[in-house]
Amino acid sequence: MTPIGYARLIAIGELRVTSPQRLAYASSSVNRRIDSESHILFPNSVAFDDTPVGHLEFALRHEGVNLEVIDAAFEHMEPDELIARLRATPTGEHIRRACFLWEWLTGKTLDAGVTVRGGYVDLFPTDIYYTAPQPVRAPRYRVRNNALGTPSFCPVVHRVAIPDDPPLTDLLLEAQSALDAMQDPDLYKRALAFLYLSETRGSYAIESETPSSDKQERFVQLLRRAGEPTKIDEEWLVQLQNVIVRDVYSQEASYRTKQNWLEDAAGRVDFFPAPIADLRSVMAAWEDFVNDQKRCPDVLVKAACAAFGFVYLHPFFDGNGRLHRFLIQHVLARSGVLGADTVIPVSAVMERNIPAYHAVLTAFSRPVTRLWNYRRVDTEPLVLSAPSSRAYRFFNADREVAFLHAMIKDAVREEIPREIAWLQGYDAAFAQLNDEFDLPRKDLSALIRMIQSNKGVLSAHRRKQYQHLPRAVLDRIEEVVREAFASEAPASRS
């Protein structure tokens, strides 16, 4: 098989990039295009110009827009090659897109000296990619720039990766309606309090940390800031980071100024975040992406790209994971669909789906970390050479978008109804038992929680703890709790 398109560009330049999910080859074994999970096969008769520019045109026509590979390939491609091809075919859609990308990505100008003809063409085909709804026209090449970001940070999302069963807006409306349906104002407030607590504990649990009551309260207060009408910048993020880290020694005053890395349980390097040389410029572009309300109006895409983009860049030494999950809440809260105090317990659902969550993270971290050249010295890795930041700037967010939709859907369809049902069951059990027995409120509340969390039965150990109460009383309490929670799926409370 003969590599063509992006595969050939990678081979020609020995490009230091993450491998595309599928590479294209010309093969004598096929007589038409064949797509598989790892390859795109074309017959040997497929037409292409066997030059770097020819392979770039072929890739743009048949394989889509891979900004990481294109940006790396431009370092090995002479501008005169692009100019010559443009002069030869000034109406060609793909050479016009290639020339625009060269100027957009390099920041330089091609002195082609040719008047481009033909209708405007989209940089990203709108039937394949989710794109900016208000593209910017580039008259020099008659290209509509509909990229979601800038050359310094531009995630890419395919339309097929965006679930519509149901659309995110419908899910958020469903969540808000479930809360608004509660007639009792006190129950509504308690439901919101439970959701904040659930999200807080879930976010810390993902980090294998049990927060103290003080940390828990501070994180709840942080969640209440989600959606605040403020510009996201370094100062704002530093304030948030200082709230959620483990101790005062982990608080930072700015984005990191040294390279960081993550390790697995065996002490092996698990992930190198964005190289320090480019971090500040990439973070500035990430901030612009999150603050811009026009180029990426889809809330699901915006939340996934903003939150996962942040954790991949890892601008702090500590607190990145919790901030990444807070940013999901922030983007959802700014959608205008949810009430001012509503939080979707996404972290609580993620915590129950850790393998799937880690799969999304490692699908990015593993291939990116392989681009780093390092060796172990004592307790730290010695970086011999760091890659460009392009893998972090141009990441494909398809997995992230689909995963986040699944987590939000679970939170809305399962977690929130379970929280509401638990509160309603608790109130019903408490009211009835409080009428029947003259017991301290604290004991009655504890008994309800213990029985409900143990599937409607008070354990032998707990019965000994309450042996001062007649057996018939404990039996009756069990019965009432079971009836009150009959319609609710078992869930634990502490």
Side-chain angles (χ1 to χ4, degrees), residues 32 41 179 257 323 336 345 428:
R32 59 183 177 84
L41 299 182
L179 292 167
T257 55
L323 280 175

Side-chain angles (χ1 to χ4, degrees), residues 29 46 63 65 73 83 180 239 246 248 279 291 302 321 331 333 335 344 347 356 385 401 407 416-417 445:
S29 65
V46 66
E63 299 178 74
V65 184
I83 291 172
D180 291 342
Q239 290 176 3
R246 296 178 178 87
V248 295
L279 179 66
N291 288 318
K302 183 71 163 284
V331 176
S335 67
I344 305 296
S347 295
S385 64
V401 169
M407 296 299 98
I416 290 178
S445 177

Side-chain angles (χ1 to χ4, degrees), residues 57 81-92 95 112 114 117:
E57 284 189 276
E81 298 177 41
L82 290 163
I83 291 172
R85 179 63 176 164
L86 181 66
R87 287 174 175 172
T89 56
T91 60
I95 187 59
V114 61
R117 297 186 297 274

Side-chain angles (χ1 to χ4, degrees), residues 224-257:
R224 295 189 184 281
R225 295 181 60 181
E228 63 182 11
T230 186
K231 181 181 178 181
I232 295 178
D233 57 17
E234 183 178 11
E235 180 181 1
W236 186 74
L237 288 167
V238 166
Q239 290 176 3
L240 303 187
Q241 191 269 352
N242 289 177
V243 171
I244 63 170
V245 291
R246 296 178 178 87
D247 50 56
V248 295
Y249 303 107
S250 300
Q251 293 178 344
E252 299 180 45
S254 67
Y255 295 145
R256 59 183 167 85
T257 55

Side-chain angles (χ1 to χ4, degrees), residues 27-34 41-46:
S27 172
S28 60
S29 65
V30 299
N31 57 14
R32 59 183 177 84
R33 172 174 173 154
I34 301 294
L41 299 182
F42 293 87
N44 281 335
S45 60
V46 66

Side-chain angles (χ1 to χ4, degrees), residues 458-468 474:
L458 190 64
S459 68
H461 171 71
R462 295 299 187 183
R463 278 184 174 267
K464 288 181 180 179
Q465 184 179 342
Y466 288 91
Q467 62 184 346
H468 59 284
L474 295 178

Side-chain angles (χ1 to χ4, degrees), residues 367-427:
V368 166
T369 299
R370 284 195 287 268
L371 301 177
W372 291 71
N373 182 15
Y374 67 96
R375 61 185 175 87
R376 199 79 187 189
V377 176
D378 295 327
T379 59
E380 298 185 3
L382 173 64
V383 176
L384 302 176
S385 64
S388 161
S389 62
R390 59 175 65 95
Y392 304 83
R393 291 183 280 136
F394 304 134
F395 75 100
N396 183 319
D398 288 357
R399 289 188 186 90
E400 291 78 359
V401 169
F403 172 76
L404 183 57
H405 183 275
M407 296 299 98
I408 294 173
K409 182 177 179 179
D410 194 324
V412 172
R413 296 278 173 85
E414 303 293 335
E415 188 71 15
I416 290 178
R418 183 162 46 238
E419 298 285 357
I420 294 173
W422 191 92
L423 284 173
Q424 292 171 332
Y426 174 88
D427 285 357

